[in-house]
Amino acid sequence: MKKVKAIEVDGQTVGMVVFENEKTLLIRKGFVSFVGEKKVLILGEKAVYVSKKLIDSSYWIRLTPTTLVPETINCVDSSNLIREFLNV
């Protein structure tokens, strides 16, 4: 299974690195949830470029390798995931 880099803020996974170069990271917002009995990383559609200097100089933000599988949200069957994603 391919390892991806997840971004954690204060110990909570909040996204995944989708592109990286020597100075910046492209991060998609997401959260960890269970689909059935499988733990997955639910990703949203929005992404943001972040400087690697910000990550390196921050105590609260870190990159961690993860084997979580990125998953998309099925809007019809997963209303509980949508509420969790929107913090409702």
Side-chain angles (χ1 to χ4, degrees):
M1 184 177 299
K2 181 183 176 186
K3 286 196 175 199
V4 297
K5 288 184 183 176
I7 186 160
E8 290 184 358
V9 176
D10 195 24
Q12 181 178 5
T13 301
V14 296
M16 182 182 90
V17 176
V18 292
F19 178 76
E20 178 178 2
N21 66 23
E22 57 276 346
K23 293 185 180 181
T24 59
L25 302 167
L26 179 60
I27 298 172
R28 284 185 64 187
K29 181 182 177 185
F31 65 95
V32 176
S33 187
F34 287 91
V35 174
E37 293 187 17
K38 185 171 74 170
K39 192 174 181 181
V40 296
L41 181 62
I42 306 293
L43 297 174
E45 65 181 22
K46 295 185 179 181
V48 64
Y49 282 101
V50 177
S51 168
K52 283 187 175 179
K53 286 183 182 180
L54 174 70
I55 305 290
D56 294 337
S57 65
S58 175
Y59 175 78
W60 300 102
I61 304 171
R62 69 181 183 144
L63 295 175
T64 58
T66 183
T67 57
L68 291 173
V69 177
E71 187 84 24
T72 56
I73 297 174
N74 180 338
C75 293
V76 175
D77 296 332
S78 301
S79 59
N80 60 329
L81 293 177
I82 295 169
R83 283 193 297 272
E84 186 176 348
F85 184 74
L86 297 174
N87 293 322
V88 176

